Amino acid sequence: MKIALMGPGMIVMVVLYVLAAVAAAFLILDASRRTALDFTGVWEGRWAYIVPQAFYLAIYVVAQVPFLTKLMPWAVVYALVGPLAVAQQFAYLLRVVFPTHGRLEARLEARYAGMTPAGLTDPDDETTIARSATNA
């Protein structure tokens, strides 16, 4: 006896898992294009977000292809790992994309700590240009 699982609830779950996979792909691309300064104040770093999301996306894609599912039956674990992937996506949004005030200040301090004093001066000020030319 086979029980068919379909209905409005299952359709909502399928849509949520597709959205989670799309969000995982976006997170991978976004985290890989960000500079190291964007991860200032985030102790786990860039790869703690990219690697688990890439794993989730890979097992999701494998589970969607029928002949790969026969080769790797463990790929259906994406349904169990999906809520963890979504939780990590929210953590990425809150920690990196929309940082708290303290993390934003740490980013700004790190950004300006790496700049030279000549980079902090006004380029239109002629006395600054003359002073930097004499120092060189």
Side-chain angles (χ1 to χ4, degrees):
M1 184 161 105
K2 190 172 185 177
I3 300 173
L5 295 175
M6 202 58 195
M10 186 57 87
I11 292 172
V12 168
M13 289 299 291
V14 168
V15 168
L16 288 176
Y17 278 110
V18 169
L19 288 176
V22 170
F26 173 75
L27 189 145
I28 294 166
L29 292 174
D30 188 62
S32 61
R33 74 161 181 85
R34 286 187 177 270
T35 63
L37 288 175
D38 289 334
F39 290 92
T40 303
V42 180
W43 63 269
E44 60 267 16
R46 167 190 330 256
W47 295 105
Y49 291 106
I50 292 177
V51 171
Q53 294 296 316
F55 174 72
Y56 174 72
L57 189 61
I59 63 172
Y60 179 81
V61 169
V62 166
Q64 302 309 310
V65 181
F67 72 90
L68 289 178
T69 306
K70 289 179 184 177
L71 293 174
M72 295 173 255
W74 53 267
V76 294
V77 78
Y78 81 90
L80 297 174
V81 181
L84 296 174
V86 171
Q88 190 181 35
Q89 291 164 3
F90 278 114
Y92 177 77
L93 283 174
L94 293 175
R95 292 179 62 80
V96 179
V97 178
F98 304 112
T100 60
H101 184 67
R103 284 193 192 97
L104 193 57
E105 283 184 359
R107 273 188 201 176
L108 292 174
E109 287 177 12
R111 181 169 289 150
Y112 290 121
M115 294 183 76
T116 61
L120 294 175
T121 58
D122 185 16
D124 295 331
D125 187 13
E126 292 158 3
T127 59
T128 308
I129 296 170
R131 237 182 303 153
S132 63
T134 58
N135 289 339

